[in-house]
Amino acid sequence: EAGVAQSPRYKIIEKRQSVAFWCNPISGHATLYWYQQILGQGPKLLIQFQNNGVVDDSQLPKDRFSAERLKGVDSTLKIQPAKLEDSAVYLCASSLERVSEQYFGPGTRLTVT
Amino acid sequence: KQEVTQIPAALSVPEGENLVLNCSFTDSAIYNLQWFRQDPGKGLTSLLLIQSSQREQTSGRLNASLDKSSGRSTLYIAASQPGDSATYLCAGNTNAGKSTFGDGTTLTVKP
């Protein structure tokens, strides 16, 4: 069974630029999560999708972050414009259902200079 | 609002020792709790998922327990090996699937 795929693995941008991350969940998984992990901390949930609908985006900074899940499969997370404090690893995870075991991708390490 | 705490932040043990990692949560209305392992520069690997109706789960040398009434979960690692060196994270999950993570315990097993 293929795992959660993410790209790119690394990205370096200057502040005020825009960036997009892509995630392909495990086939058949209805729930998809995007997390932000700052060095030395645990992941923080940004947004949760159930199929192609948003379940929870209460911690998503909506003035600069946006996300979508096309046809309930792949998902894209965008930051525009980026700030220095957005430097972090962005993790995508998926689960069969909302309360099932979560499986994580390798993450995208973002550096904003 | 759920808060999850993992103490200590770092732990170093000699190879072969049995050890316990701790995870505390403030909201006892969790649906399940999941333990993960994270190697440097990598994503999270699921170790064990324990439901609120269960008291413990076992996988190989790992055993996780859950006590909702006290707001605690423990991860027991038997006969530790250098390959167990990693950061261990716990996450408390609501019945809507929302996860709150601790900041992890970084384990070093010395040969």
Side-chain angles (χ1 to χ4, degrees):
Chain A
E1 178 180 80
V4 177
Q6 289 188 247
S7 67
R9 291 294 314 278
Y10 305 92
K11 190 73 176 179
I12 301 174
I13 62 173
E14 295 182 351
K15 60 183 180 184
R16 290 187 290 275
Q17 286 186 325
S18 62
V19 64
F21 313 126
W22 173 82
C23 172
N24 183 240
I26 293 173
S27 178
H29 280 197
T31 311
L32 186 147
Y33 311 78
W34 282 102
Y35 292 90
Q36 180 193 59
Q37 186 176 26
I38 293 172
L39 189 64
Q41 298 181 16
K44 182 184 82 172
L45 179 69
L46 292 175
I47 189 166
Q48 178 186 349
F49 291 94
Q50 181 70 16
N51 296 309
N52 60 355
V54 175
V55 174
D56 186 342
D57 62 357
S58 57
Q59 299 189 90
L60 186 73
K62 298 181 185 65
D63 58 334
R64 298 183 301 105
F65 285 64
S66 65
E68 61 180 0
R69 189 177 183 193
L70 303 173
K71 300 180 181 178
V73 182
D74 293 9
S75 178
T76 303
L77 176 69
K78 297 179 181 178
I79 307 175
Q80 181 178 12
K83 293 185 175 181
L84 295 176
E85 59 261 36
D86 297 332
S87 294
V89 176
Y90 290 84
L91 295 163
C92 179
S94 70
S95 62
L96 197 58
E97 303 169 346
R98 285 191 200 182
V99 294
S100 304
E101 190 169 3
Q102 291 185 42
Y103 297 88
F104 280 75
T108 297
R109 182 175 298 276
L110 174 67
T111 303
V112 182
T113 63
Chain B
K1 179 185 173 184
Q2 178 75 275
E3 292 182 5
V4 177
T5 304
Q6 293 185 251
I7 296 175
L11 180 65
S12 180
V13 301
E15 181 178 4
E17 193 161 296
N18 302 325
L19 60 103
V20 174
L21 304 179
N22 297 299
C23 172
S24 300
F25 48 92
T26 55
D27 187 353
S28 61
I30 63 169
Y31 189 83
N32 57 38
L33 187 139
Q34 195 166 356
W35 281 93
F36 296 88
R37 167 188 174 135
Q38 187 172 32
D39 292 286
K42 302 288 180 64
L44 280 65
T45 300
S46 178
L47 297 174
L48 289 164
L49 174 71
I50 183 165
Q51 303 292 346
S52 60
S53 58
Q54 299 174 312
R55 291 195 63 85
E56 60 180 54
Q57 275 278 21
T58 299
S59 176
R61 295 184 294 108
L62 306 179
N63 177 279
S65 70
L66 177 63
D67 184 344
K68 287 182 58 177
S69 61
S70 67
R72 290 189 61 197
S73 175
T74 61
L75 180 66
Y76 173 84
I77 302 177
S80 59
Q81 303 170 358
D84 295 330
S85 298
T87 297
Y88 291 81
L89 296 136
C90 66
N93 306 312
T94 69
N95 59 5
K98 181 172 181 176
S99 298
T100 303
F101 280 81
D103 288 336
T105 294
T106 299
L107 172 67
T108 302
V109 181
K110 297 181 178 180

